[in-house]
């Protein structure tokens, strides 16, 4: 897919199975973009877990009053009525929208419109374009070899109607996992579709105790050494994100 040098709006979906670091990447991306002054609306589509929502929500504000531009909103992509939140978010006109999807959510997305007049996943890409959004799939790659099959499923469904970004989670990948991915047909197809590849750096073990909230909010971390580790982690993550910022955001 040919990219514009002057992108208007971007709709990002974080995808892949649970446990691969999707929410981690979503929180890092939102935290980085907001720190740079970008307008970002955030939606957590996995209400049963709500990792992104809990990390980014505005403290002491009721759930039904959360502002996706300042905090985060959550809904259940597996619930047909709540899943409509995904479509409605495009009507906001916000510059960048990020939806953190649960694993396997592409099936729910494909069912948002009746089958008799929809082409499934392709319909979503066309709808996003109608609203002026470039649909982007950030697909996490960790140790699980099922990533390759999952990527092919998404590529078959969306084709070249979306931007693909493979995110290599170095906190979960061994050198062998990385070598397997490098030689895979899925990676070759990623580049054939004009996609990009970036890395999510490993989080220092001592920061794990703070959860995703510690990534989103430095005030959660009281230890000055741990605060510095957080800054270094986000600095490295920002460098990786910079590789696609002009192309994507």
């Amino acid at each position: 897919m040919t990219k514009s040098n002057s992108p208007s709006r971007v709709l990002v979906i974080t995808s892949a199975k649970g446990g691969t670091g999707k929410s981690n990447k979503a929180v890092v991306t939102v935290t980085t973009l907001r720190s740079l002054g970008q307008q970002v609306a955030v939606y957590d589509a996995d209400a049963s877990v709500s990792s992104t929502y809990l990390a980014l929500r505005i403290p002491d504000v009721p759930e039904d009053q959360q502002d996706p531009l300042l905090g985060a909103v959550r809904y259940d992509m597996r619930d047909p009525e709540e899943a409509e939140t995904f479509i409605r978010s495009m009507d906001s006109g916000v510059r960048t929208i990020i939806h953190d999807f649960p694993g396997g959510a592409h099936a729910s997305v494909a069912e948002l419109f009746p089958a008799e007049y929809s082409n499934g996943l392709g319909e979503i890409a066309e709808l996003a374009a109608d609203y002026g959004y470039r649909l982007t799939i950030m697909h996490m790659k960790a140790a699980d070899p099922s990533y390759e099959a999952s990527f092919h499923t998404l590529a078959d469904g969306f084709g070249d109607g979306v931007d693909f970004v493979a995110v290599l989670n170095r906190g979960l990948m061994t050198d062998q996992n990385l070598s397997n991915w490098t030689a895979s047909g899925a990676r070759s197809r990623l580049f054939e579709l004009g996609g990009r590849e970036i890395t999510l750096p490993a989080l220092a073990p001592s920061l794990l105790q703070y959860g995703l909230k510690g990534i989103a909010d430095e005030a959660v971390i009281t230890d000055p050494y741990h605060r510095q580790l957080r800054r270094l982690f986000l600095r490295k993550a920002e460098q990786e994100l910079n590789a696609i910022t002009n192309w994507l955001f």
Side-chain angles (χ1 to χ4, degrees), residues 47-246:
S48 63
V49 179
S50 303
S51 298
T52 296
Y53 169 76
L54 293 174
L56 295 171
R57 69 183 301 276
I58 306 170
D60 303 321
V61 172
E63 182 171 347
D64 60 357
Q65 297 178 31
Q66 287 288 319
D67 185 342
L69 279 172
L70 301 176
V73 168
R74 66 176 169 184
Y75 65 99
D76 186 355
M77 176 53 77
R78 299 182 180 91
D79 181 287
E81 291 188 6
E82 290 194 27
E84 295 173 6
T85 300
F86 174 62
I87 303 300
R88 292 195 178 99
S89 71
M90 300 183 210
D91 197 45
S92 66
V94 174
R95 171 69 178 79
T96 301
I97 302 174
I98 295 180
H99 286 262
D100 185 16
F101 273 16
H106 60 273
S108 299
V109 174
E111 295 171 357
L112 281 170
F113 299 101
E116 60 266 26
Y117 58 82
S118 170
N119 62 351
L121 293 177
E123 190 75 36
I124 303 302
E126 293 174 11
L127 180 65
D130 288 343
Y131 277 97
Y133 284 95
R134 283 180 13 203
L135 181 58
T136 299
I137 310 295
M138 274 193 175
H139 202 207
M140 297 300 302
K141 175 70 180 84
D144 195 321
S146 67
Y147 173 92
E148 282 72 21
S150 177
F151 177 81
H152 284 303
T153 297
L154 292 173
D156 290 341
F158 287 113
D160 63 356
V162 304
D163 298 334
F164 285 105
V165 179
V167 184
L168 311 184
N169 189 343
R170 291 301 280 147
L172 297 177
M173 294 180 73
T174 65
D175 290 341
Q176 184 60 54
N177 297 142
L178 182 60
S179 179
N180 291 342
W181 161 247
T182 300
S184 71
R187 186 173 189 261
S188 298
R189 190 175 186 187
L190 168 75
F191 293 130
E192 288 171 0
L193 291 171
R196 300 292 179 91
E197 178 183 279
I198 61 175
T199 296
L200 176 64
L203 194 66
S206 57
L207 293 179
L208 296 176
Q209 62 185 298
Y210 302 103
L212 293 183
K213 188 64 177 176
I215 294 176
D217 185 3
E218 184 179 84
V220 173
I221 303 176
T222 56
D223 184 280
Y225 172 65
H226 293 168
R227 283 191 174 189
Q228 184 59 27
L229 287 176
R230 174 188 178 273
R231 295 188 189 113
L232 292 173
F233 168 76
L234 287 176
R235 184 184 304 167
K236 178 62 176 176
E238 181 179 343
Q239 290 172 354
E240 289 290 324
L241 197 59
N242 281 341
I244 61 170
T245 296
N246 293 334

